[in-house]
Amino acid sequence: MRIGLLTEGGYPYVSGDARLWCDRLVRGLAQHEFDVYALSRSQYQEDEGWIPLPRNVRRVRTAPLWMAEDDEVVLGRRARRRFTECFGELAAVLCGVPGAPSSGASGAAGGSSKSASSTAGEISGGAPTSEADRFANALYGLAELAREEGGLTGALRSEAAVRTLERACRAPGAHRTAREARVPDLLTVAAHLERALRPLSLDWYEDDGLGAVDLCHAASGGPAALPGLLARHFTDVPLMVTEYGVRLRTHYLTAPDAPPAARSLLAAFQGRLAAETYRRAEVVTAGNTHARRWQERCGAEREKLRTVYPGMDARPFAEVGESPDCADPDTLVWVGRVEPAKDLVSLLHAFAEVRKQSPRSRLRIVGAPAGPEGTAYLGHCRTLAAQLFPDEAEGPHAAGDNPVSFEETGGPELPAAVDAYASGAVTVLSSVVEGFPVGLVEAMLCGRATVSTDVGAVVEVIGGTGLVVPPRNPRALAEACVALLRDPERRARLGAAARARALELFTVEQNIEAFHSIYLEIVSRVPVRRALLDGAGEPLPFAVPAEAHVPVHWTATSPSLAARNGPGWAASRPVRATTPLP
């Protein structure tokens, strides 16, 4: 099977999202070929280069999302009118402007061999289209125009695009927040739309590109899935989408202080693109039930949804997991990226309560700050720890020591994260926002009892093998920690159960097997898109039949198929491959 792996800001680059699980997936499915189509996010990411690629990666094609090269495409009068109509319809959907009869948007795509309206579904002439169909018509109309003209980068960055967006915001029936958009908001939204729609101008969708793969697998939603949508539109390649974090949820979490107008319009775009992606995908996988609920809310059909947990490499944690007695029975450990969402302030206040009941307890906070905001937050936490826990000394001649330590992995004392988990009896997670808690799974693989806040997919991951408390509740967090510190037998039972659960559900092997099964399911039920021929030009039922791998000698082989290691029956009667219906 030949798979087109679509990524944004990750694989095959050294740094970025989804890099690790994509690499494990490609290496774990060595029997398949992969073509990687990657969108990069920064010059720094490109300068860092790629990770070493396995042999089954046939080729890699990249495009930057952080910059837009001038495509030097000058649209003629008719093309400009088509662009204005399609982009205006897309903007109208985002602003909530009521739709016109179907002839408007689909007419913008007129002149192409495959109109956008035909892809969005058969729409009766003169009848109002649904919001989903209007968005699809506009999106594919822009895609077809970009394909015909050689790109739309200049048009999407033009003043005409901003004015078209402004007209949509001022149109009768537009949402109140859209009507309140000012020039800075319009410029912000137009710049975001140009960046998100940049894949429309790529030359990836021909028969020698994504048109040659058997399946497109988008490693995330948003811009990464857009090339898969266009490959499906132009060449009928089936699409599969995997999301470990839903883009619309990320938008709400990362832009809380944005102006209401810009925030509303961008959220509408993310939601419409997600709904179209889910509608066109054959299968949509989520990394946990929490993400799956977001996908359903964004329009994904339940029949298409699968849950595939992220795969963790259990080998680095095996030695610690099989030796639970090596931990300090009085030490709590927190491991992760230092940032406000992790709520270390509540953890420190909770530990103050723990110290009142267990004076010998210690807290190790292990992790590096995430960006400038994380650095400032780490400084604040250090100051708070110094105020809550003045340095203590065992005697009048000993130096004082603080029961809270802030450390990072990579040094001689903590070479890796596994050493941090091994140093404590209980692992704590205090987050107020969390997706899939990777650190929690690592602690489970180490056989550690855990205390966690009820956020994201925590309860789903824990499954009864740890204690869960409400977020932003230091007292409840402290009580749970004290309960485990005082009960070593309970810690041992929970740790053993946690390790067994992690080995059953969250390993690389189960992740790869799940994706492999889904690949076969999708390919088995889609029409054959191109004929496979033997050396004599006759069609074959398969490129290499499965029977070719059976270790026996065939008694009657065909000379025309001998070079392909195929059985003789495959050439006895030529079988014509199924072609897609017009």
Side-chain angles (χ1 to χ4, degrees), residues 260-338:
R263 190 164 183 254
S264 174
L265 291 172
L266 295 180
F269 174 76
Q270 297 289 358
R272 291 296 175 192
L273 182 59
E276 177 63 16
T277 300
Y278 300 152
R279 184 164 69 154
R280 300 303 175 192
E282 298 291 331
V283 172
V284 179
T285 70
N288 52 73
T289 303
H290 183 255
R292 186 166 172 164
R293 286 197 296 267
W294 272 90
Q295 291 172 335
E296 285 193 53
R297 183 164 184 171
C298 290
E301 299 176 7
R302 223 170 249 195
E303 295 75 15
K304 294 183 178 181
L305 290 173
R306 310 280 194 279
T307 299
V308 180
Y309 295 115
M312 306 285 295
D313 186 359
R315 291 172 298 178
F317 308 98
E319 183 177 354
V320 173
E322 294 169 1
S323 305
D325 298 332
C326 64
D328 184 342
D330 299 314
T331 298
L332 303 174
V333 175
W334 179 95
V335 181
R337 293 182 304 174
V338 178

Side-chain angles (χ1 to χ4, degrees), residues 7-55:
T7 68
E8 179 203 352
Y11 190 79
Y13 294 103
V14 171
S15 62
D17 302 335
R19 174 188 58 82
L20 195 56
W21 80 261
C22 285
D23 185 55
R24 289 170 175 167
L25 176 68
V26 172
R27 294 181 184 276
L29 296 178
Q31 69 271 38
H32 299 306
E33 296 178 341
F34 284 83
D35 291 354
V36 180
Y37 291 79
L39 301 170
S40 65
R41 287 181 179 168
S42 66
Q43 179 69 55
Y44 174 76
Q45 187 178 53
E46 293 200 0
D47 291 342
E48 281 189 312
W50 301 347
I51 63 174
L53 299 176
R55 298 181 62 181

